[in-house]
Amino acid sequence: MNKVKVAILGSGNIGTDLMYKLERSDVLELTALIGIDPASEGLQRARSLGYTTYDNGIQAIVDHPDLADLVFDATSAKAHVRHAKVLQQLGITAIDLTPAARGPFLSPVVNFQDHLHAPNVNLITCGGQATIPIVHAINSVADVYYAEIVATISSKSAGPGTRANIDEFTNTTRRGIEEVGGADRGKAIIILNPANPPIMMRNTVYCQVKNMDQAAISQSVHDMVARVKEYVPGYRLKQELLFDEDKVTIFLEVEGAGDYFESYAGNLDIMTATAVRIGEEFARHRMSGALLEEGGKRIEA
C-alpha cells in the first residue's frame, strides 16, 4: 500500500518527537523535517536518520510544493497564522499542533468524522486533548453546564514555544471544552510545576451536570479512557471518579512513551501521539477514496 507523504514544520521538542513516532506509521511517509536553525538538535537527529532537512521554514514547502500532502505544524501559534495561509494556497492540508485555532478543533475520539475534508485542523492543546474527551463523555450522558480543567505539567517539559503560548493555551482550551466537549461554559488553567524530579502530566476535570447519573457517567468516562489509551498508552485515571451532588471530578495522568521526551513529559507526548492518529486517519480516508475512484474507472472501462 502506498503511503501518504507528510512533512513536519518545526524542529523543536514536539517536531522531533513526532518524527520518531512517524517512523512507525504504516500509512504515513515522512519526507522532511523543516526548521529555522540549521544547528538545532532536531535537524541534526533527522539528518542522522537519513531524512531530508531544511532550515528555511515554510519557504521550503513553497519551493517544494510536492514535498508533502499533509504538513504537521509544530512551531508556534503566531507562526501558524502565516503558515496556514501559505499551505491553503498550496492546497496542502495542515495539522496544527499549536493553539492558533485557525481551523476546526479536532479530537480524534470525539469529532474526527466531522472534519474529514477540512484544509486545516487544530489539535487544540495538550490539556485539551487530555480532558475534552472526558467532558464529552460526561456530557453525552449528563448535560454539563460548567466544566473546568486544570492541566499541571512539569516546568522542565515546557519549552519556549509552550511558554510563549500560555494565553492562547487557556483561551483555546476553554473554547474546545465548549465547542468539542459540549459544556455550556468552560474554563481552563495551566500550571507549570517546578518540582524536581519532574512530575508527570496530571489533569483535573471538574464538571457540574444537570442530570446526574453516577453509573452512566462512570461507564462513559471509563469507555472514553480506553479509547484514548489506544493511541496514548500512558493515558489513565489516577483514581475513581468523585461525585458530590451535581458535581463530578476526574483525575487523570499522562505518561509519555519515551520516544524522544522523558516519560514525565506526557503533555508533549499526547500532542504528538494525537497528531499521528489524526494524520493516519486522514491518510486512510484519502487512500480509501483513491481506491474507490480507481475501482470506478476500472468498472467504467
Side-chain angles (χ1 to χ4, degrees):
M1 181 181 291
N2 293 329
K3 293 185 176 184
V4 170
K5 295 187 296 182
V6 301
I8 300 171
L9 263 177
S11 60
N13 286 342
I14 291 179
T16 304
D17 188 76
L18 182 57
M19 172 181 69
Y20 286 111
K21 284 182 168 58
L22 288 171
E23 284 194 298
R24 299 193 292 268
S25 178
D26 59 357
V27 293
L28 301 175
E29 177 188 357
L30 179 62
T31 60
L33 180 64
I34 303 166
I36 56 174
D37 177 6
S40 71
E41 182 179 352
L43 292 184
Q44 291 179 34
R45 284 177 176 252
R47 286 191 288 267
S48 72
L49 292 172
Y51 291 115
T52 299
T53 64
Y54 298 92
D55 57 28
N56 57 343
I58 190 69
Q59 188 61 41
I61 297 174
V62 174
D63 295 339
H64 306 279
D66 295 330
L67 195 62
D69 301 303
L70 298 174
V71 168
F72 295 95
D73 193 336
T75 57
S76 69
K78 289 182 179 178
H80 183 71
V81 173
R82 181 168 60 90
H83 297 164
K85 295 177 182 177
V86 174
L87 293 171
Q88 185 167 7
Q89 290 170 353
L90 294 172
I92 298 172
T93 300
I95 298 177
D96 178 21
L97 285 79
T98 82
R102 280 299 181 268
F105 293 159
L106 186 55
S107 169
V109 288
V110 177
N111 65 337
F112 177 79
Q113 295 296 326
D114 297 338
H115 304 296
L116 281 170
H117 303 287
N120 184 319
V121 294
N122 180 264
L123 271 58
I124 317 172
T125 61
C126 59
Q129 290 298 338
T131 62
I132 288 171
I134 301 301
V135 175
H136 173 79
I138 297 170
N139 190 62
S140 67
V141 294
D143 191 3
V144 177
Y145 66 89
Y146 176 73
E148 179 178 304
I149 73 96
V150 181
T152 303
I153 66 174
S154 166
S155 180
K156 192 173 180 180
S157 72
T162 299
R163 294 173 185 274
N165 291 337
I166 292 294
D167 290 344
E168 290 89 348
F169 175 97
T170 54
N171 185 54
T172 298
T173 307
R174 175 194 58 78
R175 285 183 52 198
I177 291 168
E178 297 169 356
E179 296 175 23
V180 182
D184 295 340
R185 187 164 62 92
K187 182 177 181 179
I189 300 169
I190 183 171
I191 297 172
L192 305 185
N193 189 314
N196 193 18
I199 64 163
M200 276 189 275
M201 183 193 197
R202 293 173 182 166
N203 303 276
T204 302
V205 182
Y206 168 89
C207 292
Q208 290 181 281
V209 303
K210 295 177 182 176
N211 306 302
M212 176 61 75
D213 183 333
Q214 294 187 15
I217 291 173
S218 182
Q219 185 63 55
S220 186
V221 167
H222 278 85
D223 289 347
M224 182 59 77
V225 169
R227 292 178 63 195
V228 175
K229 198 176 182 68
E230 290 177 3
Y231 57 97
V232 188
Y235 184 83
R236 54 182 173 254
L237 287 170
K238 279 289 289 179
Q239 63 181 66
E240 282 303 310
L241 287 63
L242 298 180
F243 294 97
D244 179 19
E245 297 181 348
D246 68 339
K247 308 174 188 66
V248 55
T249 305
I250 299 94
F251 300 97
L252 302 159
E253 184 174 76
V254 185
E255 181 178 359
D259 293 317
Y260 173 63
F261 309 127
E262 296 291 339
S263 60
Y264 63 78
N267 52 302
L268 302 175
D269 194 84
I270 196 171
M271 288 298 284
T272 54
T274 298
V276 172
R277 170 54 65 97
I278 290 173
E280 289 181 335
E281 293 296 335
F282 269 119
R284 291 189 181 100
H285 176 73
R286 291 188 179 196
M287 289 188 290
S288 174
L291 288 171
L292 287 173
E293 182 179 346
E294 184 179 319
K297 289 178 180 177
R298 285 199 297 267
I299 290 171
E300 291 173 3

